[in-house]
Amino acid sequence: MARHGPQKEKGVVMKGKKSLFIIGLVVVLFGAFLICSGNLQSQTKITLTYANFPPAKTFPCVQMERWAKEVEKRTKGKVKVQTFPGGTLLPAKNIFDGVIAGTADIGNFAMSYQPGRFPVSEAIDLPLGFTSSKAASLALYDLIEKYPQEFEKVKLLTLFTCPPADFMTTKPVKSLKDLKGMELRVSGTGAEAVKKLGAIPIAMPQSDTPEALQKGVVKGVVSSMEILQDFNFAAYTPYATETNLFVVTFAVVMNKEKWNSLPADVKKVLNDLRREQAEWTGKYVDDHVTEAVKWSKEKYKLEIIKLPAAEMAEIPKLTRPMIDDYIKRMNTKGLPGDKIIKDAYMLRDKYEKQFKNK
């Protein structure tokens, strides 16, 4: 019996070593699995849905596509943005609430489509006399940075405006007197501004306007002049009178839960793009207006009309009651209306000076 002892003991030792080897191998493989799993997780692509309401070729959608490409490039492909122009995911008036509800991760909308809901932004929509989208976009950006409360339910990604609105008409408008009683398609805050100048504002979808112009239901459109090319309005309105009457404000917002779920490096990319995108969009659409006017002159012989200096000086006087009314309404709501308007004018002067002749 004794002579079998060492062999048995040797067998036990061998089995012990084998067990330790197997355990070690399992530990190594499990560790490798965890590392690989972590790497795969870090490489997982994030897809974000982005709802927009105008047609794809218009500037709010052009800026959307530029932003999407920049995000994908700067995150090295980690983030993919799926864009939905033309109201295909959410209609214009539902975009803000749709983003809050999570129907879309991101949405771009015009604040004037929901009067009273964005009181601070509304200040920039007033006829303050901006001459460029660059100046108005950065003024809006800075104003909302100071008074951000109307966007507290979302993550604000950027802000911008359209270029200042002018008159595009079927008959020449060479004087403010020519506007008296003229039916004009206009939307948002612009309707009241047009009324103050003696014209008759008519609300209708942009898509219905060409037919209305041809039938004489309206005699013109009040908007920024990139629509001469983007919507081919130059075919129906051979005259354009420069007034720099008002701008329309836009915001790009993100669902807060989606924002909170993003990795820190992605959040940094999106934050770094906020102000840059506002300035890029302002410059892009200002340049596009220049291009659209040139195109309209060449293709349809568009005539650009400039009002006499004395008449241009009358516009702020005629529209001042709108600003006074805004201050009163804001004060009633417990907001510092006079302070907001003072800040808006200060920012206008700052950026008009910065971008003058640029």
Side-chain angles (χ1 to χ4, degrees), residues 179-185 199-202 213 216-221:
L179 290 172
K180 300 297 181 184
M182 183 179 280
E183 298 92 347
L184 299 167
R185 189 271 176 189
I200 300 171
I202 305 292
L213 286 165
V217 175
V218 295
K219 308 300 190 301
V221 182

Side-chain angles (χ1 to χ4, degrees), residues 121-131 136 164-165 167 187-197 222 243-249 312-326 329 341 344-345 348 352:
S121 302
E122 192 179 324
I124 301 296
D125 283 320
L126 291 166
L128 301 182
F130 286 103
T131 65
F167 292 85
S187 62
T189 309
E192 187 62 26
V194 163
K195 195 185 295 184
K196 294 296 183 190
L197 299 187
V222 187
T243 55
N244 295 322
L245 191 56
F246 61 87
V247 298
V248 176
T249 54
M312 285 294 291
E314 282 297 306
I315 294 176
K317 297 175 187 176
L318 292 170
T319 56
R320 178 67 206 192
M322 293 178 64
I323 295 165
D324 294 336
D325 177 65
Y326 171 85
R329 286 189 292 108
I341 289 295
Y345 275 126
R348 179 203 65 181
E352 285 289 324

Side-chain angles (χ1 to χ4, degrees), residues 237-302:
T237 56
Y239 305 97
T241 303
E242 293 182 352
T243 55
N244 295 322
L245 191 56
F246 61 87
V247 298
V248 176
T249 54
F250 295 81
V252 179
V253 298
M254 186 176 202
N255 176 273
K256 263 200 169 177
E257 287 184 17
K258 177 60 73 170
W259 168 259
N260 290 334
S261 73
L262 296 177
D265 59 332
V266 173
K267 286 181 177 178
K268 185 178 186 309
V269 168
L270 270 52
N271 276 329
D272 288 348
L273 267 168
R274 291 176 77 235
R275 186 180 181 85
E276 177 190 321
Q277 186 70 9
E279 187 167 357
W280 184 92
T281 305
K283 183 181 186 309
Y284 166 79
V285 73
D286 283 339
D287 291 344
H288 186 37
V289 166
T290 302
E291 174 192 316
V293 169
K294 182 176 182 292
W295 177 86
S296 301
K297 286 179 177 179
E298 291 172 354
K299 186 166 185 176
Y300 294 107
K301 309 299 181 187
L302 175 75

Side-chain angles (χ1 to χ4, degrees), residues 73-337:
K73 182 174 75 175
R74 297 183 193 195
T75 60
K76 297 179 172 57
K78 188 173 184 177
V79 177
K80 172 70 176 175
V81 183
Q82 190 176 2
T83 57
F84 295 87
T88 51
L89 181 56
L90 286 166
K93 293 182 180 180
N94 293 0
I95 287 179
F96 187 66
D97 288 323
V99 168
I100 292 172
T103 306
D105 297 321
I106 303 167
N108 172 50
F109 66 99
M111 279 75 96
S112 61
Y113 280 32
Q114 298 180 59
R117 191 169 185 182
F118 303 95
V120 180
S121 302
E122 192 179 324
I124 301 296
D125 283 320
L126 291 166
L128 301 182
F130 286 103
T131 65
S132 74
S133 175
K134 291 189 294 289
S137 294
L138 290 183
L140 172 66
Y141 186 96
D142 287 359
L143 191 68
I144 297 301
E145 285 286 283
K146 185 171 183 178
Y147 304 99
Q149 55 267 34
E150 61 200 36
F151 294 103
E152 62 185 4
K153 292 183 179 180
V154 293
K155 167 64 180 177
L156 189 59
L157 294 179
T158 196
L159 295 146
F160 54 87
T161 78
C162 71
D166 297 307
F167 292 85
M168 288 152 275
T169 54
T170 55
K171 295 180 179 180
V173 174
K174 297 182 177 181
S175 164
L176 293 178
K177 291 179 182 178
D178 294 333
L179 290 172
K180 300 297 181 184
M182 183 179 280
E183 298 92 347
L184 299 167
R185 189 271 176 189
V186 64
S187 62
T189 309
E192 187 62 26
V194 163
K195 195 185 295 184
K196 294 296 183 190
L197 299 187
I200 300 171
I202 305 292
M204 68 172 62
Q206 194 84 285
S207 56
D208 294 345
T209 308
E211 185 178 353
L213 286 165
Q214 292 177 77
K215 290 183 176 180
V217 175
V218 295
K219 308 300 190 301
V221 182
V222 187
S223 179
S224 48
M225 285 200 276
E226 80 280 354
I227 68 166
L228 287 166
Q229 183 176 17
D230 290 353
F231 290 96
N232 201 37
F233 275 113
Y236 315 106
T237 56
Y239 305 97
T241 303
E242 293 182 352
T243 55
N244 295 322
L245 191 56
F246 61 87
V247 298
V248 176
T249 54
F250 295 81
V252 179
V253 298
M254 186 176 202
N255 176 273
K256 263 200 169 177
E257 287 184 17
K258 177 60 73 170
W259 168 259
N260 290 334
S261 73
L262 296 177
D265 59 332
V266 173
K267 286 181 177 178
K268 185 178 186 309
V269 168
L270 270 52
N271 276 329
D272 288 348
L273 267 168
R274 291 176 77 235
R275 186 180 181 85
E276 177 190 321
Q277 186 70 9
E279 187 167 357
W280 184 92
T281 305
K283 183 181 186 309
Y284 166 79
V285 73
D286 283 339
D287 291 344
H288 186 37
V289 166
T290 302
E291 174 192 316
V293 169
K294 182 176 182 292
W295 177 86
S296 301
K297 286 179 177 179
E298 291 172 354
K299 186 166 185 176
Y300 294 107
K301 309 299 181 187
L302 175 75
E303 181 182 339
I304 297 290
I305 301 167
K306 294 182 183 291
L307 293 176
E311 296 233 343
M312 285 294 291
E314 282 297 306
I315 294 176
K317 297 175 187 176
L318 292 170
T319 56
R320 178 67 206 192
M322 293 178 64
I323 295 165
D324 294 336
D325 177 65
Y326 171 85
I327 292 171
K328 289 177 185 176
R329 286 189 292 108
M330 293 307 106
N331 290 344
T332 301
K333 290 182 176 183
L335 293 169

